[in-house]
Amino acid sequence: MPQRRELANAIRMLSVDAVQKANSGHPGMPMGMADIAEVLWNDFLNHNPGNPHWLNRDRFILSNGHGCMLHYALLHLTGYALSIEDLKQFRQLHSKTPGHPEFGEAPGIETTTGPLAQGLANAVGMAIAEKHLAKQFNRDGFEIIDNYTYVFVGDGCLMEGISHEVCSLAGTFGLNKLIAIYDDNNISIDGNVQGWFTDNTPLRFQAYGWHVISNVDGHDSAAIKKAIAEAKTITDKPTLICCKTTIGWGSPNLAGSADTHGAPLGDKEIAEVRKSLNWPHAPFVIPQELYAAWNANEKGAHAEAEWTTLFNAYSKSYPELAQELTRRVKQQLPENWSQFAVNLAKELQSKKETMATRKASQVCLNHYATILPELVGGSADLTGSNLTNWKDVGTFSKNNPQGQYIHYGVREFGMSAIMNGMALYGAVIPFGGTFLTFSDYARNAVRLAALMRQKVIFVYTHDSIGLGEDGPTHQPIEHAPSLRLIPHLSVWRPCDAAESAVAWASAIEYHGPTCLLFSRQNVQHQERDAEALANIVRGGYVLVECAGQPDVILISTGSEVELAVAAAHELKAEGQNVRVVSMPSTDVFLAQEEAYQLQVLPKDVSVRIAIEAAATDGWHKFVGCHGKVIGIDRFGASAPAKDVYKECGVTVEHIVHTAHELLKATQCARITSEKITTGVLV
């Protein structure tokens, strides 16, 4: 049987060789954490390489994702469908082994990491989901949800502010199935961290309410094993294991220095590493006895088979619970979902209530939550403003983990990355709220949700200058347009209660992340016929029609739709044919077939005006070269909402005036064209 150090050296050499072949990468961390990884994966990690999606597997997260060759080597050695050829293609186009771990690229990668500490936040989310689902579904003798979440973190992760947000919350929630292992090597890209990172990390985590195991020799397998075993005995709090390691361990000339962090070691030094580690094998060659010792297929299949037997017995004793869990794991909505969602939109349309869309959002939650127990919502300390809670919802806490409402505190970034982790765990649909302007705090987590195409719902209220007196620090301008630029992210900005209902339903159905932008101020109910109501789901539709070909098309979204409608009525009174298009979701509209898009926005109508109280650039694609955008390319002001709208020029009067100018310009252009055609002008 190979010695532990030899098993760990297989990780080291695969990492070193892959980075060298790619001429790019980070060999230092895999070399430094190889001994820790070997103990965790061989002695503790409950997983099945033959089925990376087994529900009750332990989750392993590499938050310091730049060291991803460590993870790829582990997956390859333990028997996942990641070949030696895949390792040779490290960092190459279309490979399964990109430069940072990417969810969906290689089997066994639980989340996309690289932006430091977000993996740690994802791990907190996974631990929350595990605790929540275990309380909901486990019964005496049937611990069907019973897994640990292990996360590797480095100095960089713990310097990031998000680590404070999520680790504080993890301690408060008593997430005892969360075990973080800290690679304490004192090195980051700029060198020894003593010049910029001198926190007393053990005391910091103790203050958060974590169990802390300090000063573990990260190159002593027995010490590592003892520490992890101790962590698993803790039943009321998460654990941080602080492992002292040497970055680039095994490199005679570069170990312990930043030179090993983010660059290949070079052929000469790698030859010295082989001598130092007594590793005579050629690059990418692993002896069969090491493969045999590492392979976890048999052990993993046995563990899953035992769990399957337990789940089958559970299904007989608790058939409804088993069926419900299976539905949620498969991301299947209830059978009556579609009609249920349609009925709410019809009901809200018929009620004709004037209300803020944030209030309409809460009405939707009260309705949808009755058949969607997988909804797990929350707010970054703005529940009373975001209105993200619903009737009779229980609050998630250390002592009430079955609760569906999470008070995240003032932690917008942490909340968003935690929700990503919850979605990745599965069987829940997470959503969380804050003000739209504070989406900036959370933006990188929103981006990663889109990159991973996870069903996460970001609820952003106070979506415009309409919030009024709080002023320009709280009034979003560029936020909605910038969110619309993120690939795979769906953005909805509804104009009233009926559109809010459709927006929520679309977010729940969409296989990816959604941003729902809701108003603080009341908005008018909009009249619609059945066809218009049915077309809301298409992202853009004709709200107000005219007789015959329109002379003017007004395109608007959110709280500005009522301004467009009012302007249309004035222009119609003057004899103009005016169509109003409500476009609550530009991305959904642009995903419709071309025939529908042209039906709503015919090419031969050149007088188009888009109206949104936000930065204007994104609307030019809809109005064309001869159209206009009425928006805000400046910051707002502190005043009542109506005064701010007037100050910023987003008014009915401005819309009407702009229409007059465009109609006049179009008429002049037409007359000129006719004169040229008839030869009057030469």
Side-chain angles (χ1 to χ4, degrees), residues 5 32 44 60 103 134 200 218 253 282 310 338 389 565 584 631:
R5 180 54 51 78
F44 294 98
F60 173 76
F103 177 79
N200 188 323
N253 302 303
L310 180 68
S338 295
N389 57 350
V565 171

Side-chain angles (χ1 to χ4, degrees), residues 260-289:
T260 69
H261 173 84
L265 300 183
D267 290 332
K268 183 177 179 180
E269 184 63 16
I270 291 174
E272 293 300 315
V273 172
R274 281 185 152 77
K275 292 179 185 178
S276 174
L277 299 182
N278 191 25
W279 188 268
H281 316 294
F284 298 103
V285 172
I286 303 296
Q288 285 304 313
E289 60 268 24

